[in-house]
Amino acid sequence: MSEAVKPKIISRQFDTYLAMIENSVGSSIFKNLYIDRDGKKEDATKDGWFSCAFYVSSILVICKYIKEIHATVSSTVKDLKNSGWNEISEPVLGSIVVWKPGANTNGHYHLGFYIGDNMVISNDSLKKVPTKHDWLFGGAREVDMILWNPQILK
C-alpha cells in the first residue's frame, strides 16, 4: 500500500495582511488602547479619536512586520524603519502612508494602509473606526512619507 501524499501548505502572509486591512473597515476593535499614566488608567486613543497608530501597528504586529503596538505615529514610524521599511516615492499595495498635519487635525500626523487604486484605509477620527477613502483626502492632506518593505512579500 502506498502512503497518501501530503499536500504542500505554504502561508500566504501578504494576502492575509491585505485581507486583514480590508476586513477591518468599520471595526471598533482598534478604538481603545489603555495605558497607566502616573498610576491612573487612561485611554491613550481617546475612545478612537487618536487610533490611527494603534490600528496600523496592531495589524503590522499580528503579521510580524514590526515589533510592537504603538499609540503614536512617530513611534510607529520608528519601529517601521527599524524593521526594514524604507521610504518610497509612490505607494504600492500594502505600503504605509504617513500624512502631514492638515486643517482641523490639531497638528497631528496620520497614517494608514495603501490598498491600490488611489485608496487607503485609515482610522477616521470622527467615526472612530477604520474607513476606506481617497489616499489624499480629496486634496485636504499632504503626504509626508510612504513606507514599504519588499521583504514582506517573501
Side-chain angles (χ1 to χ4, degrees):
M1 277 188 133
S2 63
E3 289 188 35
V5 177
K6 289 186 178 183
K8 183 176 181 179
I9 299 173
I10 300 171
S11 173
R12 305 256 334 192
Q13 183 71 22
F14 186 68
D15 292 329
T16 302
Y17 168 65
L18 296 175
M20 288 179 72
I21 295 165
E22 288 277 353
N23 294 335
S24 70
V25 173
S27 173
S28 60
I29 193 171
F30 304 104
K31 190 173 177 179
N32 306 99
L33 175 62
Y34 291 98
I35 60 171
D36 186 317
R37 186 185 305 270
D38 297 325
K40 291 179 67 179
K41 180 174 120 178
E42 179 181 318
D43 182 1
T45 60
K46 306 292 187 227
D47 197 39
W49 184 258
F50 295 114
S51 290
C52 70
F54 178 46
Y55 162 58
V56 169
S57 66
S58 292
I59 288 180
L60 292 168
V61 165
I62 290 168
C63 294
K64 299 180 182 175
Y65 294 156
I66 63 171
K67 294 177 181 37
E68 295 183 45
I69 292 174
H70 299 276
T72 67
V73 172
S74 61
S75 63
T76 304
V77 168
K78 182 178 180 181
D79 195 349
L80 282 159
K81 288 183 175 183
N82 287 339
S83 298
W85 292 68
N86 299 301
E87 289 188 46
I88 58 174
S89 59
E90 294 294 323
V92 297
L93 186 63
S95 59
I96 306 300
V97 180
V98 181
W99 294 274
K100 293 179 180 180
N104 304 317
T105 65
N106 295 324
H108 293 279
Y109 284 76
H110 185 64
L111 73 164
F113 298 100
Y114 186 78
I115 58 167
D117 296 324
N118 295 318
M119 300 296 288
V120 293
I121 296 177
S122 71
N123 187 70
D124 184 310
S125 61
L126 298 177
K127 294 178 182 176
K128 301 181 178 185
V129 295
T131 61
K132 186 184 287 192
H133 56 87
D134 171 73
W135 88 291
L136 295 176
F137 289 88
R141 289 194 90 159
E142 185 180 342
V143 171
D144 183 51
M145 70 179 81
I146 304 163
L147 296 161
W148 175 243
N149 184 346
Q151 294 300 312
I152 68 174
L153 292 174
K154 294 183 178 178

